Amino acid sequence: MTIPLLDVKAQHAPIRDEIQAAMNRVLDSGIFILGPEVEALEQDIAAYSQCQYGIGVSSGTDALLVALMAIGIRPGDEVITTPFSFFATAGSIARLGAKPVFVDIEADSFNLDPVKIAAAITPRTKAIMPVHLFGQMAEMDAIMEIAERHQMYVIEDAAQAIGAEYKGRRAGSIGHFGCFSFYPSKNLGCPGDGGMVTTNDAVLAARVRSLRNHGATVKYHHEMIGGNFRLDAMQAAILRVKLKSLDHWTTARQRNASIYRQYSTDATLTLPVELPNRRHVYNQFVIRTKDREAVINRLKANQIGYEIYYPVALHRQECFSDLGCKTGDFPFAEAAAEEVLAVPIYPELTEDQIQAVVSATSFTD
Ligand SMILES: *Cc1c(COP(=O)(O)O)cnc(C)c1O
């Protein structure tokens, strides 16, 4: 049995005709950048995420970048974020000349620990950028409380968490911005790059809308310096088709997670923790083991896909060496980087396949 980490072809098979009809519709319309398909997707994603506004952008990375630009982040500013995420989270901050200030993650959840935020705040701190890693939301009440007390913005990196909930509130709807990615491996992926910024603030929405198109609201009249962060109509049309299946896929991911929990008996493997008051959407099912090499060898021998998200904590990246962080500064993030292992969780996985993954990863079967 060969089990990939993700099977996008299996995902598209049942909706292939509908996707092709949407692509033909865009081809025939002759409108390829922004336009009515993008506007319709913006409304769909905003509604799905319990937000008033959605602004389609070119990627999840650009969603983060344009949100930071919209709140005026510039050289000398500091933005608090997690050292355990995809590079884009901290990269977007640094690209604007601002300083990513890392705060360690919680011991069990992989998400930013709000208890440690206060000690990292300085007069230059402008924003907090929590990440809802692997599909489970960060401790948003505590994060919002600190941000409000210090008049800071909150930008949710919701790239892995579309549809996730915290106390019934959707990812991207609690902070000033939610930033989503439609990269193929996300829960709602397109065949290319794409992203979305959500917000409930009309003024911020207008700024993002302008910035994604070179800072011009009226063509050739630039009130701000923006960039080309536009979403294209082909991706938007395909995403609208796929959005209709998202809840069904999420339910399948959650079912797969519970099958893993049912079959796993090896006490040397730690399964992902589900925190209270959450809807975990399982973009990834990330287990922890002190003996990762051995588990990987068994997965390889059984032709089972896996990935290490993420092998190097962000504060230890070469490009951030000038931040002056050192090994040992963020012990929970560093331990996670050494122990994590993502195994297949995609919706089309069968119970037999999950059992095969469990017996390949366990030493006590
Ligand atoms: C995927 C991802 C991004 C970047 O999204 P792209 O669409 O690939 O640019 C940012 N943050 C996190 C946490 C991600 O998983």
Side-chain angles (χ1 to χ4, degrees), residues 59-62 64 85-86 88-89 131 133 157 159-160 180-183 186 193-194 310:
S59 69
T61 302
D62 288 340
L64 296 169
S85 180
F86 178 60
T89 310
V131 180
L133 206 66
D157 182 340
Q160 302 183 4
F180 295 90
S181 165
F182 304 125
Y183 184 81
K186 310 297 177 168
D193 275 310
Y310 296 91

PDB file of all heavy atoms in Angstrom, residues 59-62 64 85-86 88-89 131 133 157 159-160 180-183 186 193-194 310, ligand 1:
ATOM      1  N   SER A  59      -1.413  35.303  -2.478  1.00  0.00           N
ATOM      2  CA  SER A  59      -0.928  34.144  -1.702  1.00  0.00           C
ATOM      3  C   SER A  59      -1.167  34.410  -0.221  1.00  0.00           C
ATOM      4  O   SER A  59      -1.507  35.541   0.166  1.00  0.00           O
ATOM      5  CB  SER A  59       0.569  33.906  -1.936  1.00  0.00           C
ATOM      6  OG  SER A  59       1.326  34.957  -1.356  1.00  0.00           O
ATOM      7  N   GLY A  60      -0.953  33.392   0.589  1.00  0.00           N
ATOM      8  CA  GLY A  60      -1.034  33.581   2.029  1.00  0.00           C
ATOM      9  C   GLY A  60       0.074  34.500   2.521  1.00  0.00           C
ATOM     10  O   GLY A  60      -0.123  35.315   3.425  1.00  0.00           O
ATOM     11  N   THR A  61       1.247  34.363   1.923  1.00  0.00           N
ATOM     12  CA  THR A  61       2.371  35.230   2.276  1.00  0.00           C
ATOM     13  C   THR A  61       2.025  36.686   2.009  1.00  0.00           C
ATOM     14  O   THR A  61       2.253  37.563   2.845  1.00  0.00           O
ATOM     15  CB  THR A  61       3.614  34.834   1.446  1.00  0.00           C
ATOM     16  OG1 THR A  61       3.910  33.464   1.700  1.00  0.00           O
ATOM     17  CG2 THR A  61       4.811  35.694   1.786  1.00  0.00           C
ATOM     18  N   ASP A  62       1.444  36.946   0.828  1.00  0.00           N
ATOM     19  CA  ASP A  62       1.078  38.320   0.496  1.00  0.00           C
ATOM     20  C   ASP A  62      -0.077  38.823   1.360  1.00  0.00           C
ATOM     21  O   ASP A  62      -0.178  40.025   1.621  1.00  0.00           O
ATOM     22  CB  ASP A  62       0.730  38.433  -0.991  1.00  0.00           C
ATOM     23  CG  ASP A  62       1.972  38.321  -1.866  1.00  0.00           C
ATOM     24  OD1 ASP A  62       3.087  38.545  -1.341  1.00  0.00           O
ATOM     25  OD2 ASP A  62       1.839  38.002  -3.058  1.00  0.00           O
ATOM     26  N   LEU A  64      -0.366  38.201   4.550  1.00  0.00           N
ATOM     27  CA  LEU A  64       0.314  38.678   5.761  1.00  0.00           C
ATOM     28  C   LEU A  64       1.022  40.007   5.495  1.00  0.00           C
ATOM     29  O   LEU A  64       0.934  40.957   6.276  1.00  0.00           O
ATOM     30  CB  LEU A  64       1.336  37.637   6.235  1.00  0.00           C
ATOM     31  CG  LEU A  64       0.775  36.286   6.693  1.00  0.00           C
ATOM     32  CD1 LEU A  64       1.902  35.269   6.865  1.00  0.00           C
ATOM     33  CD2 LEU A  64      -0.006  36.437   7.992  1.00  0.00           C
ATOM     34  N   SER A  85       6.525  28.105  13.124  1.00  0.00           N
ATOM     35  CA  SER A  85       5.549  28.302  12.052  1.00  0.00           C
ATOM     36  C   SER A  85       6.262  28.162  10.728  1.00  0.00           C
ATOM     37  O   SER A  85       7.492  28.003  10.669  1.00  0.00           O
ATOM     38  CB  SER A  85       4.925  29.701  12.156  1.00  0.00           C
ATOM     39  OG  SER A  85       3.968  29.907  11.123  1.00  0.00           O
ATOM     40  N   PHE A  86       5.477  28.258   9.642  1.00  0.00           N
ATOM     41  CA  PHE A  86       6.072  28.378   8.319  1.00  0.00           C
ATOM     42  C   PHE A  86       6.816  29.709   8.243  1.00  0.00           C
ATOM     43  O   PHE A  86       6.426  30.688   8.890  1.00  0.00           O
ATOM     44  CB  PHE A  86       4.977  28.291   7.250  1.00  0.00           C
ATOM     45  CG  PHE A  86       5.493  28.446   5.850  1.00  0.00           C
ATOM     46  CD1 PHE A  86       6.435  27.557   5.349  1.00  0.00           C
ATOM     47  CD2 PHE A  86       5.054  29.477   5.043  1.00  0.00           C
ATOM     48  CE1 PHE A  86       6.939  27.709   4.058  1.00  0.00           C
ATOM     49  CE2 PHE A  86       5.544  29.626   3.749  1.00  0.00           C
ATOM     50  CZ  PHE A  86       6.477  28.745   3.260  1.00  0.00           C
ATOM     51  N   ALA A  88       6.924  32.186   6.277  1.00  0.00           N
ATOM     52  CA  ALA A  88       6.253  33.419   5.838  1.00  0.00           C
ATOM     53  C   ALA A  88       5.775  34.282   7.003  1.00  0.00           C
ATOM     54  O   ALA A  88       5.704  35.513   6.882  1.00  0.00           O
ATOM     55  CB  ALA A  88       5.068  33.073   4.933  1.00  0.00           C
ATOM     56  N   THR A  89       5.436  33.654   8.124  1.00  0.00           N
ATOM     57  CA  THR A  89       4.916  34.415   9.260  1.00  0.00           C
ATOM     58  C   THR A  89       5.925  35.483   9.695  1.00  0.00           C
ATOM     59  O   THR A  89       5.601  36.675   9.738  1.00  0.00           O
ATOM     60  CB  THR A  89       4.611  33.457  10.439  1.00  0.00           C
ATOM     61  OG1 THR A  89       3.821  32.377   9.962  1.00  0.00           O
ATOM     62  CG2 THR A  89       3.887  34.171  11.553  1.00  0.00           C
ATOM     63  N   VAL A 131      -0.385  32.376  15.116  1.00  0.00           N
ATOM     64  CA  VAL A 131      -0.625  31.428  14.025  1.00  0.00           C
ATOM     65  C   VAL A 131      -1.515  30.311  14.567  1.00  0.00           C
ATOM     66  O   VAL A 131      -1.282  29.816  15.674  1.00  0.00           O
ATOM     67  CB  VAL A 131       0.708  30.819  13.527  1.00  0.00           C
ATOM     68  CG1 VAL A 131       0.465  29.837  12.385  1.00  0.00           C
ATOM     69  CG2 VAL A 131       1.661  31.920  13.086  1.00  0.00           C
ATOM     70  N   LEU A 133      -1.744  27.046  14.235  1.00  0.00           N
ATOM     71  CA  LEU A 133      -0.933  26.038  13.563  1.00  0.00           C
ATOM     72  C   LEU A 133      -1.627  24.688  13.448  1.00  0.00           C
ATOM     73  O   LEU A 133      -2.256  24.221  14.405  1.00  0.00           O
ATOM     74  CB  LEU A 133       0.416  25.891  14.280  1.00  0.00           C
ATOM     75  CG  LEU A 133       1.547  25.378  13.381  1.00  0.00           C
ATOM     76  CD1 LEU A 133       1.906  26.370  12.291  1.00  0.00           C
ATOM     77  CD2 LEU A 133       2.775  25.034  14.200  1.00  0.00           C
ATOM     78  N   ASP A 157      -2.598  34.660  11.543  1.00  0.00           N
ATOM     79  CA  ASP A 157      -2.138  33.832  10.429  1.00  0.00           C
ATOM     80  C   ASP A 157      -3.005  32.572  10.446  1.00  0.00           C
ATOM     81  O   ASP A 157      -2.759  31.630  11.202  1.00  0.00           O
ATOM     82  CB  ASP A 157      -0.653  33.492  10.576  1.00  0.00           C
ATOM     83  CG  ASP A 157      -0.128  32.675   9.389  1.00  0.00           C
ATOM     84  OD1 ASP A 157      -0.960  32.063   8.678  1.00  0.00           O
ATOM     85  OD2 ASP A 157       1.099  32.629   9.188  1.00  0.00           O
ATOM     86  N   ALA A 159      -3.602  30.667   7.783  1.00  0.00           N
ATOM     87  CA  ALA A 159      -3.311  29.937   6.543  1.00  0.00           C
ATOM     88  C   ALA A 159      -3.686  28.456   6.642  1.00  0.00           C
ATOM     89  O   ALA A 159      -4.100  27.846   5.659  1.00  0.00           O
ATOM     90  CB  ALA A 159      -1.834  30.082   6.184  1.00  0.00           C
ATOM     91  N   GLN A 160      -3.544  27.884   7.839  1.00  0.00           N
ATOM     92  CA  GLN A 160      -3.812  26.447   8.006  1.00  0.00           C
ATOM     93  C   GLN A 160      -5.150  26.201   8.694  1.00  0.00           C
ATOM     94  O   GLN A 160      -5.431  25.074   9.097  1.00  0.00           O
ATOM     95  CB  GLN A 160      -2.687  25.807   8.836  1.00  0.00           C
ATOM     96  CG  GLN A 160      -1.311  25.986   8.212  1.00  0.00           C
ATOM     97  CD  GLN A 160      -0.212  25.287   9.000  1.00  0.00           C
ATOM     98  OE1 GLN A 160      -0.455  24.600   9.976  1.00  0.00           O
ATOM     99  NE2 GLN A 160       1.029  25.470   8.554  1.00  0.00           N
ATOM    100  N   PHE A 180      -5.412  34.180   5.023  1.00  0.00           N
ATOM    101  CA  PHE A 180      -5.629  32.807   4.566  1.00  0.00           C
ATOM    102  C   PHE A 180      -4.768  32.517   3.337  1.00  0.00           C
ATOM    103  O   PHE A 180      -4.462  33.412   2.553  1.00  0.00           O
ATOM    104  CB  PHE A 180      -7.105  32.591   4.206  1.00  0.00           C
ATOM    105  CG  PHE A 180      -8.030  32.707   5.391  1.00  0.00           C
ATOM    106  CD1 PHE A 180      -8.581  33.936   5.736  1.00  0.00           C
ATOM    107  CD2 PHE A 180      -8.332  31.599   6.171  1.00  0.00           C
ATOM    108  CE1 PHE A 180      -9.419  34.046   6.839  1.00  0.00           C
ATOM    109  CE2 PHE A 180      -9.172  31.697   7.270  1.00  0.00           C
ATOM    110  CZ  PHE A 180      -9.717  32.932   7.604  1.00  0.00           C
ATOM    111  N   SER A 181      -4.443  31.234   3.185  1.00  0.00           N
ATOM    112  CA  SER A 181      -3.700  30.774   2.015  1.00  0.00           C
ATOM    113  C   SER A 181      -4.524  29.713   1.297  1.00  0.00           C
ATOM    114  O   SER A 181      -5.173  28.886   1.938  1.00  0.00           O
ATOM    115  CB  SER A 181      -2.367  30.154   2.459  1.00  0.00           C
ATOM    116  OG  SER A 181      -1.792  29.404   1.395  1.00  0.00           O
ATOM    117  N   PHE A 182      -4.463  29.747  -0.021  1.00  0.00           N
ATOM    118  CA  PHE A 182      -5.109  28.696  -0.822  1.00  0.00           C
ATOM    119  C   PHE A 182      -4.060  27.847  -1.545  1.00  0.00           C
ATOM    120  O   PHE A 182      -4.339  27.258  -2.595  1.00  0.00           O
ATOM    121  CB  PHE A 182      -6.098  29.314  -1.828  1.00  0.00           C
ATOM    122  CG  PHE A 182      -7.137  30.194  -1.183  1.00  0.00           C
ATOM    123  CD1 PHE A 182      -7.321  31.516  -1.605  1.00  0.00           C
ATOM    124  CD2 PHE A 182      -7.933  29.717  -0.157  1.00  0.00           C
ATOM    125  CE1 PHE A 182      -8.275  32.330  -1.015  1.00  0.00           C
ATOM    126  CE2 PHE A 182      -8.890  30.528   0.453  1.00  0.00           C
ATOM    127  CZ  PHE A 182      -9.060  31.838   0.021  1.00  0.00           C
ATOM    128  N   TYR A 183      -2.866  27.807  -0.994  1.00  0.00           N
ATOM    129  CA  TYR A 183      -1.816  26.913  -1.500  1.00  0.00           C
ATOM    130  C   TYR A 183      -2.395  25.492  -1.554  1.00  0.00           C
ATOM    131  O   TYR A 183      -3.214  25.116  -0.716  1.00  0.00           O
ATOM    132  CB  TYR A 183      -0.620  26.995  -0.533  1.00  0.00           C
ATOM    133  CG  TYR A 183       0.578  26.209  -0.962  1.00  0.00           C
ATOM    134  CD1 TYR A 183       1.464  26.710  -1.908  1.00  0.00           C
ATOM    135  CD2 TYR A 183       0.840  24.957  -0.408  1.00  0.00           C
ATOM    136  CE1 TYR A 183       2.575  25.983  -2.288  1.00  0.00           C
ATOM    137  CE2 TYR A 183       1.947  24.222  -0.794  1.00  0.00           C
ATOM    138  CZ  TYR A 183       2.814  24.739  -1.740  1.00  0.00           C
ATOM    139  OH  TYR A 183       3.910  24.012  -2.126  1.00  0.00           O
ATOM    140  N   LYS A 186      -3.321  23.340   1.576  1.00  0.00           N
ATOM    141  CA  LYS A 186      -4.175  23.854   2.657  1.00  0.00           C
ATOM    142  C   LYS A 186      -5.545  23.173   2.575  1.00  0.00           C
ATOM    143  O   LYS A 186      -5.882  22.550   1.579  1.00  0.00           O
ATOM    144  CB  LYS A 186      -4.320  25.370   2.556  1.00  0.00           C
ATOM    145  CG  LYS A 186      -3.016  26.113   2.404  1.00  0.00           C
ATOM    146  CD  LYS A 186      -2.076  25.973   3.589  1.00  0.00           C
ATOM    147  CE  LYS A 186      -0.789  26.713   3.250  1.00  0.00           C
ATOM    148  NZ  LYS A 186       0.123  26.929   4.313  1.00  0.00           N
ATOM    149  N   ASP A 193      -1.304  29.551  -6.714  1.00  0.00           N
ATOM    150  CA  ASP A 193      -1.179  30.362  -5.504  1.00  0.00           C
ATOM    151  C   ASP A 193      -2.403  31.246  -5.348  1.00  0.00           C
ATOM    152  O   ASP A 193      -2.979  31.717  -6.327  1.00  0.00           O
ATOM    153  CB  ASP A 193       0.064  31.262  -5.606  1.00  0.00           C
ATOM    154  CG  ASP A 193       1.332  30.554  -5.151  1.00  0.00           C
ATOM    155  OD1 ASP A 193       1.305  29.964  -4.049  1.00  0.00           O
ATOM    156  OD2 ASP A 193       2.335  30.592  -5.887  1.00  0.00           O
ATOM    157  N   GLY A 194      -2.778  31.483  -4.110  1.00  0.00           N
ATOM    158  CA  GLY A 194      -3.896  32.384  -3.834  1.00  0.00           C
ATOM    159  C   GLY A 194      -3.994  32.620  -2.348  1.00  0.00           C
ATOM    160  O   GLY A 194      -3.451  31.862  -1.543  1.00  0.00           O
ATOM    161  N   TYR A 310       7.939  21.827  11.652  1.00  0.00           N
ATOM    162  CA  TYR A 310       8.993  22.404  10.849  1.00  0.00           C
ATOM    163  C   TYR A 310      10.310  21.987  11.483  1.00  0.00           C
ATOM    164  O   TYR A 310      10.411  22.012  12.713  1.00  0.00           O
ATOM    165  CB  TYR A 310       8.846  23.934  10.797  1.00  0.00           C
ATOM    166  CG  TYR A 310       7.535  24.305  10.097  1.00  0.00           C
ATOM    167  CD1 TYR A 310       6.375  24.481  10.837  1.00  0.00           C
ATOM    168  CD2 TYR A 310       7.473  24.400   8.714  1.00  0.00           C
ATOM    169  CE1 TYR A 310       5.168  24.773  10.206  1.00  0.00           C
ATOM    170  CE2 TYR A 310       6.270  24.706   8.079  1.00  0.00           C
ATOM    171  CZ  TYR A 310       5.121  24.875   8.825  1.00  0.00           C
ATOM    172  OH  TYR A 310       3.938  25.144   8.203  1.00  0.00           O
TER     173      TYR A 310
HETATM  174  C1  LIG B   1       1.071  28.219   3.913  1.00  0.00           C
HETATM  175  C2  LIG B   1       1.346  29.172   4.999  1.00  0.00           C
HETATM  176  C3  LIG B   1       1.641  30.524   4.760  1.00  0.00           C
HETATM  177  C4  LIG B   1       1.914  31.071   3.381  1.00  0.00           C
HETATM  178  O1  LIG B   1       0.963  30.815   2.426  1.00  0.00           O
HETATM  179  P1  LIG B   1       1.370  30.818   0.870  1.00  0.00           P
HETATM  180  O2  LIG B   1       0.036  30.833   0.182  1.00  0.00           O
HETATM  181  O3  LIG B   1       2.137  29.584   0.615  1.00  0.00           O
HETATM  182  O4  LIG B   1       2.158  32.039   0.606  1.00  0.00           O
HETATM  183  C5  LIG B   1       1.787  31.371   5.830  1.00  0.00           C
HETATM  184  N1  LIG B   1       1.674  30.931   7.087  1.00  0.00           N
HETATM  185  C6  LIG B   1       1.406  29.639   7.374  1.00  0.00           C
HETATM  186  C7  LIG B   1       1.262  29.227   8.800  1.00  0.00           C
HETATM  187  C8  LIG B   1       1.256  28.725   6.338  1.00  0.00           C
HETATM  188  O5  LIG B   1       1.010  27.439   6.633  1.00  0.00           O
END
